[in-house]
Amino acid sequence: MWKIVEETFNPEKQHHKETVFTIGNGYLSTRGAFEERFPAEMRATFLHGVFDDAPVVFTELANAPDWLELDIFLAGEHFRLNQGTLLSFTRTLDLRTATLTRDLRWRSPRGRETHLVFERFASLAEEHLCMVKATIRPENYSGRVEVRAGLSGEVDNLKLKHWDWVAQGVRAQEAWLQVKTCATKIELSAAMKLSMTVPGQRSHLTRLDVQNHPALAVSSNIKSGETATVLKWFTQYTSRDVKNPLKDSRRALQKYLLQDWAQLWEAHRKAWESEWERSDVIIEGDDEAQLAVRFNIFQLLIAAPRHDEHVNIGAKTLSGYGYRGHAFWDTEIFMLPFFIHTRPEIARNLLSYRWHNLPGAREKAKANGFLGAQYPWESAGTGEEVTPTWVPNPADRTSLIRIWTGDIEVHISADISYAIWKYWQSTGDESFLLERGAEVILETARFWSSRAEWNEELGRYEINDIIGPDEYHDHVDNNVYTNALACWNLKTALDLYSWLKEEHSSAWKKLNRRIRFNEKELEKWRHVIEHLYIPFDSQTKLVEQFEGYFQRRDVNLAKLEPRTNSVQALFGIEGANETQVLKQPDVLMLMYLLPDLYDHETLLVNYAYYNARTDHTFGSSLGPSIQAIMACKANDEGAYVHFIRAARADLFNVRNNAGDGIHGASAGGLWQAVIFGFAGLEHTSAGWMTHPHLPEGWTRIAFKIVDHGKELHFDVKKAF
Ligand code: IFM
């Protein structure tokens, strides 16, 4: 169960499949577009951190120069799948080796039949190297086969151009291109080499020095039944990585040219072998779940920056235009647990990105009149807020919708601190906590202490006018998730402060030179902790999601079935806001993150209440995995239905937007659903324990986690 296979090519599913067949190596990702191109494709390569300015969304990952192209001419006929006849087609993504293969037979308009096999990989062993190979076998003709391949700077982001040409060169051994992003001035240089081998034949090489598209062409005569093998080596560096990207990409190319496909692929395969060694989850008894879980883990792994602590993972990873590469709480709350427990070095990089971006968060807090650090809801290269303020209304495309999340979805500041704490608890990485993590936790605590408003009349602190995780409801007061996480952030900061002062005084002094902490602040923190309003009805045990939620209109979701749209699309933004319907778990999300706050009976009462009111099918893609975990905790048999919804999010395009990119949070949530839901992994005073809730048919879940540097193996089997 390692292969994602597509047996027929349907141009209507083109964008969805480009997302599914994305390959990557944590440095870049390339969507699964065809080497030879196809009309209306959304071919794209995104590199971590390579952002450029864009209208409305402020900044976006710039689609990088195209490295993939292979233009093929078969006895003078141009190979393209929108012409001629496709006689057979199979596309396979081998998750184990991160290799994409397309095997097809094509009859040209003039009746020439050819068997073509394309393979590509973005090396995990050498992250600046990508390779593509094509084998071409004429089946019923002999003639000249020519392949042209270059580096195309003529790329855009859905029509917006991000690259200025700087220089290029074409030699027998290589073609190279140097470009720069228009506004952010990030230099990218790439180099490539092309070869063709036909046994017993000489191949001919031509240089094609077209402006902004340096290329090479190789050709050879070939007889029916013989095979031509074409190889393209590709290297690239940016000024984010090195001082002289051009020199480095050309030098790297010459180094890799000493090796052939088999050697370079073997190093890549080995790197993936060790990756899976640490991260695989074995599920027995459910092939669909097994494949989907591996596919989602693969998506996390190809998006994970291994050598860069200045980047985060966008909500749509590096696999599409959705959310333009911006990062949300999706990383810290949904994806990060996978990395913390299997690849802590990657988790450290991701959390370091937040630490590096403290200046942006401080700016945001200051601009809003608050202390400390207020993290942006959407974050990109610099850590400034990049949530668009207005976006075109998808319903009519002419009116505009005000997006409030960047202004008032504030829980992300506590989410980041929470993730840092989880990382620390699981790794014991003291240097990270002392040098970076503590600063974030203290600065976000400062933010909360100033964001909470004192209500004189009621003698309590409140956090008003916000959006909680459930985005169907905006401008609400005292969202319990936000208030409870803010309180947790303050309490944790208080404990951390004492620990730093008492046990790490020199680290504290160093840190204090940066944050200039005033002891008087502690009084305020304590006051806020004691008086922050956290709604709870001890009689019913129901937790009101925010003040006035229970007064909103209750909707029987079953009565809306069958439907193909979200409740928000059916009722409108205002209409959904007036109901009790949730876009995604909110109170339950809190109970998942801070389980000690509530007893089991409270969990059961709230699970029953909110489960019935959540837009599971068409609400947020972040919901189903968490709902599955909470269903396990509530012993609800519906857990599998939620799980499989998350498992299919991208593979089956259940929300009809997979073409925009992988739902990274859903991928991370899926891992959590298996580990913390079905396997029931929990950290107790006796250490890590499992409390399995295996779905029907599942006979085994096996996985590893790392705890304080030690690998722990779990093998959960169904008792018969
Ligand atoms: O962060 C999420 C949010 O919770 C729901 N809307 C989409 C965002 C990005 O995935």
Side-chain angles (χ1 to χ4, degrees):
M1 286 294 122
W2 286 98
K3 291 185 174 161
I4 306 292
V5 183
E6 180 191 36
E7 302 276 7
T8 48
F9 170 55
N10 177 354
E12 287 183 5
K13 293 188 179 166
Q14 181 179 206
H15 297 156
H16 168 216
K17 297 297 177 177
E18 283 173 5
T19 298
V20 168
F21 291 111
T22 295
I23 56 161
N25 59 5
Y27 176 75
L28 59 71
S29 280
T30 295
R31 285 168 63 78
F34 296 159
E35 285 77 359
E36 72 282 5
R37 306 181 170 278
F38 194 84
E41 65 185 357
M42 288 208 291
R43 76 195 285 117
T45 292
F46 298 111
L47 277 69
H48 267 310
V50 180
F51 284 98
D52 194 36
D53 296 2
V56 183
V57 293
F58 300 105
T59 183
E60 64 181 356
L61 284 177
N63 178 16
D66 182 29
W67 65 273
L68 201 59
E69 64 161 25
L70 293 181
D71 241 353
I72 300 175
F73 297 86
L74 304 164
E77 283 187 277
H78 198 173
F79 163 67
R80 20 191 80 217
L81 289 190
N82 58 334
Q83 288 166 15
T85 312
L86 194 51
L87 302 172
S88 70
F89 177 93
T90 310
R91 186 157 42 166
T92 308
L93 175 62
D94 184 347
L95 303 169
R96 197 199 284 262
T97 63
T99 308
L100 181 64
T101 306
R102 185 165 50 118
D103 185 316
L104 61 98
R105 290 183 58 245
W106 181 72
R107 183 186 298 133
S108 72
R110 292 197 191 150
R112 293 189 181 97
E113 290 176 11
T114 312
H115 182 188
L116 297 112
V117 180
F118 297 89
E119 286 168 84
R120 68 175 81 151
F121 68 90
S123 175
L124 190 66
E126 309 283 348
E127 68 176 15
H128 297 277
L129 169 76
C130 297
M131 295 280 292
V132 55
K133 171 161 95 170
T135 56
I136 304 167
R137 187 156 60 93
E139 291 187 331
N140 63 354
Y141 66 97
S142 301
R144 195 148 188 90
V145 168
E146 185 185 35
V147 177
R148 297 177 197 164
L151 304 167
S152 176
E154 297 296 328
V155 289
D156 55 53
N157 278 41
L158 311 171
K159 301 218 167 78
L160 181 67
K161 285 205 164 278
H162 281 300
W163 298 99
D164 286 330
W165 179 87
V166 178
Q168 69 182 61
V170 187
R171 319 255 183 281
Q173 277 301 309
E174 60 165 347
W176 56 265
L177 175 69
Q178 188 182 21
V179 290
K180 212 171 233 187
T181 49
C182 303
T184 49
K185 306 293 177 206
I186 299 173
E187 182 194 324
L188 181 151
S189 286
M192 60 147 279
K193 158 83 179 149
L194 193 65
S195 78
M196 179 186 275
T197 320
V198 180
Q201 293 281 348
R202 278 171 68 93
S203 61
H204 184 75
L205 187 119
T206 320
R207 287 166 235 164
L208 305 167
D209 201 358
V210 178
Q211 168 76 8
N212 208 12
H213 192 177
L216 295 167
V218 282
S219 63
S220 181
N221 287 324
I222 179 161
K223 292 200 188 88
S224 174
E226 286 182 349
T227 302
T229 303
V230 177
L231 283 189
K232 185 176 182 181
W233 291 254
F234 167 81
T235 55
Q236 77 182 335
Y237 280 83
T238 76
S239 50
R240 291 192 66 260
D241 319 319
V242 289
K243 268 210 182 104
N244 192 334
L246 181 58
K247 200 166 119 208
D248 284 41
S249 56
R250 293 182 66 189
R251 198 164 43 198
L253 181 71
Q254 295 313 317
K255 179 176 122 196
Y256 299 132
L257 282 179
L258 301 175
Q259 296 178 53
D260 61 12
W261 169 278
Q263 290 162 307
L264 294 166
W265 184 80
E266 181 55 16
H268 164 75
R269 187 200 65 74
K270 272 202 174 129
W272 271 98
E273 189 175 67
S274 92
E275 204 71 34
W276 283 113
E277 188 59 34
R278 285 179 277 183
S279 323
D280 190 24
V281 173
I282 295 169
I283 296 171
E284 288 181 1
D286 185 342
D287 288 352
E288 182 187 352
Q290 172 69 89
L291 187 60
V293 167
R294 284 190 173 137
F295 172 76
N296 282 281
I297 291 175
F298 174 83
Q299 295 304 333
L300 296 171
L301 290 172
I302 65 171
R306 287 159 179 77
H307 308 291
D308 193 342
E309 55 175 50
H310 291 268
V311 296
N312 204 292
I313 302 179
K316 301 284 182 169
T317 65
L318 287 174
S319 59
Y321 287 103
Y323 294 119
R324 309 298 163 143
H326 298 182
F328 298 64
W329 71 316
D330 302 36
T331 310
E332 283 76 17
I333 298 298
F334 294 83
M335 302 181 224
L336 208 81
F338 165 74
F339 294 115
I340 290 177
H341 296 295
T342 66
R343 297 296 315 276
E345 327 79 75
I346 294 176
R348 192 185 211 271
N349 281 347
L350 292 166
L351 292 170
S352 292
Y353 161 87
R354 296 295 190 179
W355 176 75
H356 286 297
N357 283 336
L358 264 172
R362 289 193 179 106
E363 265 312 301
K364 178 164 175 155
K366 195 166 159 206
N368 290 335
F370 303 120
L371 300 173
Q374 178 182 7
Y375 276 96
W377 176 244
E378 293 187 28
S379 186
T382 62
E384 289 160 304
E385 181 60 75
V386 291
T387 306
T389 319
W390 296 91
V391 296
N393 185 345
D396 57 25
R397 301 225 154 258
T398 51
S399 62
L400 291 176
I401 299 178
R402 176 72 164 91
I403 302 294
W404 287 105
T405 48
D407 305 72
I408 58 175
E409 192 154 354
V410 289
H411 60 83
I412 187 160
S413 294
D415 301 330
I416 290 168
S417 287
Y418 178 88
I420 289 173
W421 197 247
K422 285 274 156 186
Y423 169 78
W424 154 245
Q425 282 184 321
S426 162
T427 60
D429 181 348
E430 203 163 89
S431 75
F432 177 80
L433 188 66
L434 295 179
E435 288 156 28
R436 299 180 170 189
E439 189 169 356
V440 173
I441 295 174
L442 293 168
E443 287 288 66
T444 47
R446 267 180 163 163
F447 162 70
W448 291 117
S449 75
S450 59
R451 179 62 177 81
E453 302 155 44
W454 178 246
N455 182 330
E456 188 60 47
E457 206 183 312
L458 298 172
R460 68 188 195 195
Y461 284 95
E462 302 182 339
I463 301 180
N464 292 330
D465 193 23
I466 58 144
I467 301 176
D470 160 30
E471 295 173 341
Y472 278 175
H473 298 98
D474 56 28
H475 296 286
V476 303
D477 295 341
N478 294 311
N479 163 251
V480 68
Y481 175 95
T482 307
N483 288 19
L485 262 288
C487 196
W488 172 90
N489 197 158
L490 282 159
K491 279 186 192 153
T492 307
L494 211 57
D495 293 347
L496 189 60
Y497 167 78
S498 313
W499 179 75
L500 285 170
K501 274 202 82 175
E502 280 160 30
E503 298 189 29
H504 295 278
S505 62
S506 76
W508 166 246
K509 272 188 202 138
K510 222 161 135 196
L511 170 58
N512 204 18
R513 275 200 286 278
R514 293 202 296 273
I515 65 173
R516 296 175 187 286
F517 197 72
N518 180 341
E519 296 247 332
K520 281 195 199 135
E521 293 182 56
L522 295 176
E523 275 316 299
K524 171 83 186 282
W525 288 13
R526 289 197 189 97
H527 203 239
V528 178
I529 291 168
E530 274 160 31
H531 296 92
L532 185 57
Y533 176 50
I534 304 203
F536 182 61
D537 181 340
S538 51
Q539 293 264 295
T540 61
K541 296 213 166 230
L542 259 184
V543 177
E544 189 171 29
Q545 187 178 302
F546 54 83
E547 268 193 294
Y549 168 83
F550 290 138
Q551 272 78 60
R552 309 240 167 161
R553 185 161 66 87
D554 207 4
V555 174
N556 183 342
L557 284 176
K559 288 210 172 133
L560 299 181
E561 298 299 340
R563 65 188 165 103
T564 51
N565 249 325
S566 72
V567 167
Q568 195 175 58
L570 292 179
F571 294 177
I573 294 176
E574 287 314 317
N577 206 347
E578 284 159 13
T579 72
Q580 288 191 25
V581 182
L582 276 66
K583 182 177 174 185
Q584 65 201 82
D586 194 306
V587 169
L588 295 182
M589 188 79 215
L590 168 63
M591 292 184 172
Y592 173 47
L593 297 187
L594 298 178
D596 295 342
L597 285 187
Y598 301 99
D599 61 24
H600 192 61
E601 199 192 329
T602 308
L603 184 151
L604 292 179
V605 169
N606 285 277
Y607 178 82
Y609 192 87
Y610 287 106
N611 185 40
R613 288 165 179 79
T614 304
D615 189 359
H616 300 298
T617 30
F618 298 105
S620 169
S621 65
L622 280 67
S625 53
I626 304 303
Q627 199 69 33
I629 298 170
M630 296 313 284
C632 289
K633 296 195 185 298
N635 250 327
D636 175 5
E637 283 176 6
Y640 188 78
V641 175
H642 297 299
F643 163 83
I644 206 71
R645 199 171 274 135
R648 291 177 179 169
D650 290 311
L651 283 170
F652 286 63
N653 197 11
V654 292
R655 284 183 167 71
N656 231 349
N657 62 359
D660 295 341
I662 289 292
H663 293 83
S666 176
L670 197 73
W671 181 86
Q672 296 189 56
V674 177
I675 307 303
F676 301 124
F678 295 141
L681 185 70
E682 249 180 58
H683 195 261
T684 68
S685 49
W688 289 100
M689 309 283 258
T690 54
H691 303 280
H693 302 267
L694 296 197
E696 217 183 299
W698 289 31
T699 52
R700 180 179 176 220
I701 307 175
F703 59 96
K704 293 175 190 163
I705 63 164
V706 195
D707 184 67
H708 290 77
K710 207 169 140 213
E711 199 170 85
L712 307 175
H713 296 233
F714 295 89
D715 204 333
V716 176
K717 294 200 173 117
K718 185 142 207 149
F720 289 102

PDB file of all heavy atoms in Angstrom, residues 249-264:
ATOM      1  N   SER A 249      24.697  26.864  -8.310  1.00  0.00           N
ATOM      2  CA  SER A 249      23.854  25.949  -9.090  1.00  0.00           C
ATOM      3  C   SER A 249      24.657  25.335 -10.233  1.00  0.00           C
ATOM      4  O   SER A 249      24.512  24.151 -10.537  1.00  0.00           O
ATOM      5  CB  SER A 249      22.593  26.649  -9.597  1.00  0.00           C
ATOM      6  OG  SER A 249      22.940  27.778 -10.336  1.00  0.00           O
ATOM      7  N   ARG A 250      25.546  26.118 -10.836  1.00  0.00           N
ATOM      8  CA  ARG A 250      26.349  25.574 -11.940  1.00  0.00           C
ATOM      9  C   ARG A 250      27.372  24.562 -11.409  1.00  0.00           C
ATOM     10  O   ARG A 250      27.598  23.521 -12.017  1.00  0.00           O
ATOM     11  CB  ARG A 250      27.050  26.710 -12.692  1.00  0.00           C
ATOM     12  CG  ARG A 250      26.034  27.598 -13.421  1.00  0.00           C
ATOM     13  CD  ARG A 250      26.702  28.682 -14.210  1.00  0.00           C
ATOM     14  NE  ARG A 250      27.478  28.151 -15.310  1.00  0.00           N
ATOM     15  CZ  ARG A 250      28.306  28.878 -16.061  1.00  0.00           C
ATOM     16  NH1 ARG A 250      28.443  30.170 -15.817  1.00  0.00           N
ATOM     17  NH2 ARG A 250      28.976  28.334 -17.042  1.00  0.00           N
ATOM     18  N   ARG A 251      27.942  24.883 -10.266  1.00  0.00           N
ATOM     19  CA  ARG A 251      28.919  23.960  -9.685  1.00  0.00           C
ATOM     20  C   ARG A 251      28.247  22.638  -9.280  1.00  0.00           C
ATOM     21  O   ARG A 251      28.757  21.553  -9.523  1.00  0.00           O
ATOM     22  CB  ARG A 251      29.567  24.613  -8.463  1.00  0.00           C
ATOM     23  CG  ARG A 251      30.846  23.911  -8.095  1.00  0.00           C
ATOM     24  CD  ARG A 251      31.727  24.662  -7.172  1.00  0.00           C
ATOM     25  NE  ARG A 251      30.975  25.295  -6.085  1.00  0.00           N
ATOM     26  CZ  ARG A 251      31.443  26.280  -5.338  1.00  0.00           C
ATOM     27  NH1 ARG A 251      32.639  26.752  -5.565  1.00  0.00           N
ATOM     28  NH2 ARG A 251      30.729  26.796  -4.371  1.00  0.00           N
ATOM     29  N   ALA A 252      27.058  22.783  -8.679  1.00  0.00           N
ATOM     30  CA  ALA A 252      26.335  21.567  -8.263  1.00  0.00           C
ATOM     31  C   ALA A 252      25.993  20.720  -9.486  1.00  0.00           C
ATOM     32  O   ALA A 252      26.116  19.493  -9.456  1.00  0.00           O
ATOM     33  CB  ALA A 252      25.065  21.951  -7.509  1.00  0.00           C
ATOM     34  N   LEU A 253      25.615  21.380 -10.569  1.00  0.00           N
ATOM     35  CA  LEU A 253      25.263  20.628 -11.773  1.00  0.00           C
ATOM     36  C   LEU A 253      26.465  19.799 -12.239  1.00  0.00           C
ATOM     37  O   LEU A 253      26.345  18.606 -12.517  1.00  0.00           O
ATOM     38  CB  LEU A 253      24.810  21.577 -12.888  1.00  0.00           C
ATOM     39  CG  LEU A 253      24.394  20.864 -14.173  1.00  0.00           C
ATOM     40  CD1 LEU A 253      23.071  20.134 -13.986  1.00  0.00           C
ATOM     41  CD2 LEU A 253      24.280  21.843 -15.336  1.00  0.00           C
ATOM     42  N   GLN A 254      27.621  20.436 -12.303  1.00  0.00           N
ATOM     43  CA  GLN A 254      28.808  19.705 -12.770  1.00  0.00           C
ATOM     44  C   GLN A 254      29.107  18.519 -11.848  1.00  0.00           C
ATOM     45  O   GLN A 254      29.499  17.452 -12.307  1.00  0.00           O
ATOM     46  CB  GLN A 254      30.030  20.638 -12.858  1.00  0.00           C
ATOM     47  CG  GLN A 254      29.884  21.742 -13.901  1.00  0.00           C
ATOM     48  CD  GLN A 254      29.367  21.230 -15.259  1.00  0.00           C
ATOM     49  OE1 GLN A 254      29.791  20.187 -15.750  1.00  0.00           O
ATOM     50  NE2 GLN A 254      28.423  21.957 -15.855  1.00  0.00           N
ATOM     51  N   LYS A 255      28.858  18.711 -10.567  1.00  0.00           N
ATOM     52  CA  LYS A 255      29.112  17.618  -9.617  1.00  0.00           C
ATOM     53  C   LYS A 255      28.139  16.450  -9.887  1.00  0.00           C
ATOM     54  O   LYS A 255      28.540  15.303  -9.990  1.00  0.00           O
ATOM     55  CB  LYS A 255      28.940  18.165  -8.195  1.00  0.00           C
ATOM     56  CG  LYS A 255      29.154  17.146  -7.105  1.00  0.00           C
ATOM     57  CD  LYS A 255      29.056  17.771  -5.732  1.00  0.00           C
ATOM     58  CE  LYS A 255      27.982  17.082  -4.923  1.00  0.00           C
ATOM     59  NZ  LYS A 255      27.549  17.820  -3.760  1.00  0.00           N
ATOM     60  N   TYR A 256      26.855  16.780 -10.039  1.00  0.00           N
ATOM     61  CA  TYR A 256      25.875  15.699 -10.210  1.00  0.00           C
ATOM     62  C   TYR A 256      25.977  15.048 -11.586  1.00  0.00           C
ATOM     63  O   TYR A 256      25.563  13.905 -11.757  1.00  0.00           O
ATOM     64  CB  TYR A 256      24.452  16.211  -9.965  1.00  0.00           C
ATOM     65  CG  TYR A 256      24.269  16.736  -8.555  1.00  0.00           C
ATOM     66  CD1 TYR A 256      23.672  17.964  -8.312  1.00  0.00           C
ATOM     67  CD2 TYR A 256      24.728  15.993  -7.465  1.00  0.00           C
ATOM     68  CE1 TYR A 256      23.528  18.453  -7.023  1.00  0.00           C
ATOM     69  CE2 TYR A 256      24.595  16.479  -6.165  1.00  0.00           C
ATOM     70  CZ  TYR A 256      23.994  17.707  -5.954  1.00  0.00           C
ATOM     71  OH  TYR A 256      23.868  18.170  -4.677  1.00  0.00           O
ATOM     72  N   LEU A 257      26.529  15.780 -12.558  1.00  0.00           N
ATOM     73  CA  LEU A 257      26.667  15.197 -13.896  1.00  0.00           C
ATOM     74  C   LEU A 257      27.614  14.002 -13.903  1.00  0.00           C
ATOM     75  O   LEU A 257      27.595  13.189 -14.818  1.00  0.00           O
ATOM     76  CB  LEU A 257      27.185  16.251 -14.883  1.00  0.00           C
ATOM     77  CG  LEU A 257      26.148  17.249 -15.386  1.00  0.00           C
ATOM     78  CD1 LEU A 257      26.792  18.245 -16.327  1.00  0.00           C
ATOM     79  CD2 LEU A 257      25.010  16.532 -16.073  1.00  0.00           C
ATOM     80  N   LEU A 258      28.438  13.906 -12.858  1.00  0.00           N
ATOM     81  CA  LEU A 258      29.353  12.771 -12.783  1.00  0.00           C
ATOM     82  C   LEU A 258      28.596  11.484 -12.446  1.00  0.00           C
ATOM     83  O   LEU A 258      29.135  10.398 -12.493  1.00  0.00           O
ATOM     84  CB  LEU A 258      30.432  13.028 -11.717  1.00  0.00           C
ATOM     85  CG  LEU A 258      31.287  14.278 -11.948  1.00  0.00           C
ATOM     86  CD1 LEU A 258      32.235  14.503 -10.789  1.00  0.00           C
ATOM     87  CD2 LEU A 258      32.065  14.132 -13.263  1.00  0.00           C
ATOM     88  N   GLN A 259      27.319  11.660 -12.072  1.00  0.00           N
ATOM     89  CA  GLN A 259      26.531  10.471 -11.725  1.00  0.00           C
ATOM     90  C   GLN A 259      25.340  10.345 -12.666  1.00  0.00           C
ATOM     91  O   GLN A 259      24.826  11.346 -13.157  1.00  0.00           O
ATOM     92  CB  GLN A 259      26.023  10.599 -10.288  1.00  0.00           C
ATOM     93  CG  GLN A 259      27.144  10.631  -9.273  1.00  0.00           C
ATOM     94  CD  GLN A 259      26.602  10.818  -7.877  1.00  0.00           C
ATOM     95  OE1 GLN A 259      25.747  10.086  -7.442  1.00  0.00           O
ATOM     96  NE2 GLN A 259      27.094  11.822  -7.189  1.00  0.00           N
ATOM     97  N   ASP A 260      24.909   9.110 -12.846  1.00  0.00           N
ATOM     98  CA  ASP A 260      23.754   8.914 -13.716  1.00  0.00           C
ATOM     99  C   ASP A 260      22.478   8.826 -12.875  1.00  0.00           C
ATOM    100  O   ASP A 260      22.506   8.928 -11.651  1.00  0.00           O
ATOM    101  CB  ASP A 260      23.951   7.685 -14.609  1.00  0.00           C
ATOM    102  CG  ASP A 260      24.098   6.411 -13.774  1.00  0.00           C
ATOM    103  OD1 ASP A 260      23.817   6.458 -12.553  1.00  0.00           O
ATOM    104  OD2 ASP A 260      24.499   5.381 -14.338  1.00  0.00           O
ATOM    105  N   TRP A 261      21.381   8.606 -13.574  1.00  0.00           N
ATOM    106  CA  TRP A 261      20.079   8.529 -12.903  1.00  0.00           C
ATOM    107  C   TRP A 261      20.104   7.508 -11.771  1.00  0.00           C
ATOM    108  O   TRP A 261      19.671   7.789 -10.652  1.00  0.00           O
ATOM    109  CB  TRP A 261      19.010   8.178 -13.952  1.00  0.00           C
ATOM    110  CG  TRP A 261      17.678   7.822 -13.374  1.00  0.00           C
ATOM    111  CD1 TRP A 261      17.307   6.597 -12.863  1.00  0.00           C
ATOM    112  CD2 TRP A 261      16.549   8.680 -13.216  1.00  0.00           C
ATOM    113  NE1 TRP A 261      16.012   6.650 -12.411  1.00  0.00           N
ATOM    114  CE2 TRP A 261      15.525   7.920 -12.621  1.00  0.00           C
ATOM    115  CE3 TRP A 261      16.307  10.013 -13.537  1.00  0.00           C
ATOM    116  CZ2 TRP A 261      14.266   8.451 -12.334  1.00  0.00           C
ATOM    117  CZ3 TRP A 261      15.043  10.542 -13.254  1.00  0.00           C
ATOM    118  CH2 TRP A 261      14.050   9.772 -12.656  1.00  0.00           C
ATOM    119  N   ALA A 262      20.620   6.311 -12.081  1.00  0.00           N
ATOM    120  CA  ALA A 262      20.542   5.215 -11.110  1.00  0.00           C
ATOM    121  C   ALA A 262      21.248   5.596  -9.809  1.00  0.00           C
ATOM    122  O   ALA A 262      20.732   5.350  -8.713  1.00  0.00           O
ATOM    123  CB  ALA A 262      21.162   3.954 -11.703  1.00  0.00           C
ATOM    124  N   GLN A 263      22.406   6.228  -9.924  1.00  0.00           N
ATOM    125  CA  GLN A 263      23.152   6.576  -8.698  1.00  0.00           C
ATOM    126  C   GLN A 263      22.440   7.678  -7.909  1.00  0.00           C
ATOM    127  O   GLN A 263      22.305   7.603  -6.694  1.00  0.00           O
ATOM    128  CB  GLN A 263      24.562   7.046  -9.063  1.00  0.00           C
ATOM    129  CG  GLN A 263      25.434   5.921  -9.580  1.00  0.00           C
ATOM    130  CD  GLN A 263      26.636   6.487 -10.319  1.00  0.00           C
ATOM    131  OE1 GLN A 263      26.510   7.307 -11.225  1.00  0.00           O
ATOM    132  NE2 GLN A 263      27.819   6.051  -9.907  1.00  0.00           N
ATOM    133  N   LEU A 264      21.986   8.685  -8.632  1.00  0.00           N
ATOM    134  CA  LEU A 264      21.347   9.807  -7.940  1.00  0.00           C
ATOM    135  C   LEU A 264      20.011   9.374  -7.334  1.00  0.00           C
ATOM    136  O   LEU A 264      19.644   9.779  -6.227  1.00  0.00           O
ATOM    137  CB  LEU A 264      21.158  10.985  -8.905  1.00  0.00           C
ATOM    138  CG  LEU A 264      22.484  11.598  -9.384  1.00  0.00           C
ATOM    139  CD1 LEU A 264      22.274  12.509 -10.576  1.00  0.00           C
ATOM    140  CD2 LEU A 264      23.166  12.363  -8.242  1.00  0.00           C
TER     141      LEU A 264
END
